[in-house]
Amino acid sequence: MLDAAAAVWAHDFSASLSSIALRADVSRSTLHRYFTDRQALIDALLLDSLARLETADDGSATAVPAMETLEHFLRAGVEMGDRVIFLFADPKRFEGNPHWSSDDGDEEMRALVDRARAEGAIGAGIPTSWALNLYYALLYTAAEVSNQDLPRHVAADLAVQSFRRSVAP
Amino acid sequence: MLDAAAAVWAHDFSASLSSIALRADVSRSTLHRYFTDRQALIDALLLDSLARLETADDGSATAVPAMETLEHFLRAGVEMGDRVIFLFADPKRFEGNPHWSSDDGDEEMRALVDRARAEGAIGAGIPTSWALNLYYALLYTAAEVSNQDLPRHVAADLAVQSFRRSVAP
DNA sequence: GCGAAATGCGACAGTGGTGTCGCAGAATGG
DNA sequence: CCATTCTGCGACACCACTGTCGCATTTCGC
């Protein structure tokens, strides 16, 4: 059901619960039996997606260059496909949600970008806010393209390449 | 009213007509008086936005390098802000809409990208579908960022730079 | 095979957005 | 100044989605 919700909501967050039940091959009753609320399903999917992101992000020690961490994170994100689209399609989607700390969304990433800049991987002419938005856009786009034409890893490679080139000094 | 619709729908296409009326500082009645339908408003906004895009795109003769046309078009799009977000946030939003020819959405752009590739501005390792999706993502992101931190022209510059670097051979 | 748990189905009221009215109060222009 | 036009307000029925329920059916474990 979470997969179905991610798949459907990745493209239209206002989609009805019926469409999700249909996609999940269960009745609406069953869906409601596991998630009392629309909000409950959102929270469950959010939590699950964040957990996967966390897991996927495990291999990134702080010792390695920040740029490699960003790259690793990007690849992991693309691998998650719809989940990542769900998470990052609209930055304000989860505003006020107790499970969505601003740490997840921004602070940690901003710090990473700043570190990458300090390490010389990001040019002085690149504002941090642009680097961040570009990063999420590439993540989103690569995940999106993976649903259409290109194999997942190819899309990930292209996204990584685009990011490196775009922010290079 | 069209401006209000663009501003609201740029962030949430499922937003109610009430919220648009509110944003436009008119009553819901007045809104309905000018646009009988939700669909009528959508069509009007679509048509108006496409017209602006067309106008803004006037300066691009086919004689100049394709890359410059793409660049010009990108800058013009960023300048349009919410209108462009409305148009390109979801590629399938206007599927089946008689005013949304696939020419606008894809074919013309694809041809432009192919021409840029022939002129050596786009590397062989860059799939056309990636270049296109990247292009729209940058357009969208630059417009989005313009609503937050950076001045419009700075965001446009960054988007252009990112695109050139990303697809360079 | 039998009992328990899970699922599907249909019905229900509640809710919020939609589209349509009529009417009353501006705003506009001659 | 008056007449025409535009606008706002409130009311209405309609519809899709939501959340809840009871009951029949299927599935699963033992």
Side-chain angles (χ1 to χ4, degrees), chain A residues 25-27 29-30 33-34:
Chain A
D25 261 310
V26 297
S27 69
S29 303
T30 303
R33 206 163 277 129
Y34 283 83

Side-chain angles (χ1 to χ4, degrees), chain A residues 13-139:
Chain A
F13 189 49
S14 68
S16 72
L17 298 183
S18 310
S19 62
I20 293 176
L22 194 68
R23 172 69 165 252
D25 261 310
V26 297
S27 69
R28 197 166 64 89
S29 303
T30 303
L31 188 65
H32 271 293
R33 206 163 277 129
Y34 283 83
F35 309 97
T36 57
D37 243 24
R38 182 189 183 88
Q39 193 56 47
L41 178 54
I42 294 175
D43 288 351
L45 181 55
L46 171 58
L47 233 39
D48 181 77
S49 299
L50 286 178
R52 292 193 187 202
L53 211 52
E54 199 92 14
T55 305
D57 192 33
D58 258 5
S60 62
T62 53
V64 303
M67 196 57 175
E68 280 184 30
T69 303
L70 284 170
E71 182 179 322
H72 181 84
F73 190 66
L74 188 60
R75 286 183 198 279
V78 173
E79 215 59 41
M80 285 177 53
D82 287 334
R83 303 299 246 262
V84 124
I85 299 182
F86 166 74
L87 284 177
F88 297 115
D90 178 10
K92 295 172 190 166
R93 180 172 292 176
F94 305 114
E95 243 175 26
N97 190 309
H99 304 124
W100 180 259
S101 62
S102 64
D103 282 8
D104 295 319
D106 245 29
E107 288 310 317
E108 199 170 339
M109 273 300 166
R110 194 171 289 270
L112 219 41
V113 167
D114 284 339
R115 200 149 63 78
R117 186 194 304 282
E119 289 166 5
I122 297 183
I126 311 289
T128 298
S129 72
W130 172 255
L132 269 178
N133 277 281
L134 173 66
Y135 186 82
Y136 288 124
L138 288 172
L139 175 52

Side-chain angles (χ1 to χ4, degrees), chain B residues 79-133:
Chain B
E79 215 59 41
M80 285 178 53
D82 286 335
R83 302 298 245 262
V84 125
I85 299 183
F86 167 74
L87 284 178
F88 297 116
D90 177 10
K92 295 173 192 167
R93 179 172 292 176
F94 304 114
E95 243 176 27
N97 190 310
H99 304 124
W100 180 260
S101 63
S102 65
D103 281 7
D104 296 319
D106 243 29
E107 288 310 318
E108 198 171 342
M109 274 300 165
R110 193 172 288 269
L112 218 43
V113 167
D114 284 340
R115 200 149 63 80
R117 184 194 305 282
E119 289 166 4
I122 297 183
I126 312 289
T128 298
S129 72
W130 172 255
L132 268 179
N133 276 281

Side-chain angles (χ1 to χ4, degrees), chain B residues 36-68:
Chain B
T36 57
D37 241 28
R38 182 187 183 88
Q39 193 57 46
L41 178 54
I42 294 175
D43 287 351
L45 180 56
L46 172 58
L47 232 38
D48 181 78
S49 300
L50 286 177
R52 293 193 186 202
L53 211 52
E54 201 91 14
T55 305
D57 192 32
D58 257 6
S60 61
T62 52
V64 303
M67 196 59 174
E68 278 184 32

